[in-house]
Amino acid sequence: MAEINAISRPLAVSQGDPAGIGPDIALTAWLRRHELGLPSFLVVGDPSVLEVRARLLGLNIPIARVEPQEANEHFANALPVVAIDTGIPVAPGEPHPATAQATIKAIETAVHLTMTGVTLGVVTNPIAKSVLYEAGFPFPGHTEFLADLAQKATGKVVRPVMMLSGPKLNAIPVTIHIPLKSVAQNLSVGLIIETCRIANADLKTKFGIERPRLAVAGLNPHAGENGAMGTEDVDIVQLAIEALRSEGIDARGPLPADTMFHEAARQHYDVAICMYHDQALIPAKTLGFDDAVNVTLGLPFIRTSPDHGTAFGIAGKGVAKDTSFVAALKLAFKLGRGAAGNG
């Protein structure tokens, strides 16, 4: 496929939990598409949910049920939707396990469209993991599910790396959805090395950073104070950094996490590699709650997501901000365009 055709592909947006704010922000973003200069996108989800939500929000937005290849020709005048029936009426703010299979199918469809070259990248709207778990969903979250889909499609082992990307900070947690008490026992030299290798490679190929600078946080307070506050930083983190540097990767640390995230410190690195979920996500969300984007590195396709949850409490009330969703669309287009240009 020629480069110009690749770049002109729409993005595939999965609806997310239909009772959450995914439909709201997809609608308002489309309504502001010209003002914001948004790339073309299609929604994989239930057209009736979007129609009902638009009326509830008082928005005059035509919904076009389309085949994926038709999205671009409709985008200027209607929100194109590849239909996935939820099976039951959906009330905003009232999640139901009966909609889980449609939520899962929407993600699967968006990934399939992207991996087969129909769409440029995947933007996933928020899911409610507890709702999916009730329906038997076996994955901790989006990231692990996307990796499984990619692995099944390619036959190759896929190691996903979650990065929160905002205007002020890129941050990656090495361990993600595990209890804090389990972090130390799950942390290893190999895991840190693998995470940093993937980050380094994708920051080069997808973000265009010629020599990424990785700031690696310590696990313990003050990065362990040379073993006085725990030996993990010496025995695990430091050894991983030494191995990475021997490979030519610009990894620095272990650094005390309490001094890594102020403005002056952030000028000296391109991404913060953190040892656990909240060590990365607290500063990332503090510095860019409305415009940070969740990016999954290590996948054979582009995937971004708004950096917030389903927000059931405000779904359908007309107050949900589409800022992070818009940022996710723009970043997915930018990364997808770069990948298409390099392909």
Side-chain angles (χ1 to χ4, degrees), residues 119-144:
T119 50
L120 188 63
V122 177
V123 178
T124 56
N125 262 321
I127 57 175
K129 291 186 279 289
S130 60
V131 175
L132 299 186
Y133 295 158
E134 286 188 57
F137 186 67
F139 302 96
H142 251 138
T143 303
E144 297 84 358

Side-chain angles (χ1 to χ4, degrees), residues 135-220:
F137 186 67
F139 302 96
H142 251 138
T143 303
E144 297 84 358
F145 182 39
L146 293 166
D148 184 71
L149 293 175
Q151 188 163 318
K152 287 176 178 175
T154 63
K156 300 177 182 178
V157 175
V158 174
R159 165 76 166 88
V161 169
M162 181 175 76
M163 181 170 81
L164 273 291
S165 179
K168 297 180 180 179
L169 175 68
N170 293 321
I172 292 173
V174 174
T175 62
I176 307 178
H177 297 121
I178 60 174
L180 185 59
K181 67 179 181 180
S182 303
V183 169
Q185 66 193 58
N186 281 273
L187 202 61
S188 68
V189 174
L191 181 60
I192 295 171
I193 290 174
E194 187 179 23
T195 301
C196 290
R197 283 175 178 163
I198 292 168
N200 185 67
D202 274 18
L203 286 174
K204 285 182 177 180
T205 59
K206 294 177 180 176
F207 285 77
I209 301 173
E210 184 175 350
R211 182 169 168 74
R213 300 166 299 168
L214 281 59
V216 184
L219 172 66
N220 296 301

Side-chain angles (χ1 to χ4, degrees), residues 232-270:
E232 292 89 354
D233 293 295
V234 175
D235 296 340
I236 299 175
V237 185
Q238 182 63 48
L239 290 181
I241 291 169
E242 291 172 0
L244 290 162
R245 293 186 68 83
S246 72
E247 297 177 7
I249 294 174
D250 186 358
R252 311 166 186 186
L255 302 172
D258 62 348
T259 57
M260 277 181 59
F261 301 107
H262 62 83
E263 185 174 2
R266 297 197 307 272
Q267 308 312 307
H268 298 286
Y269 60 84
D270 299 299

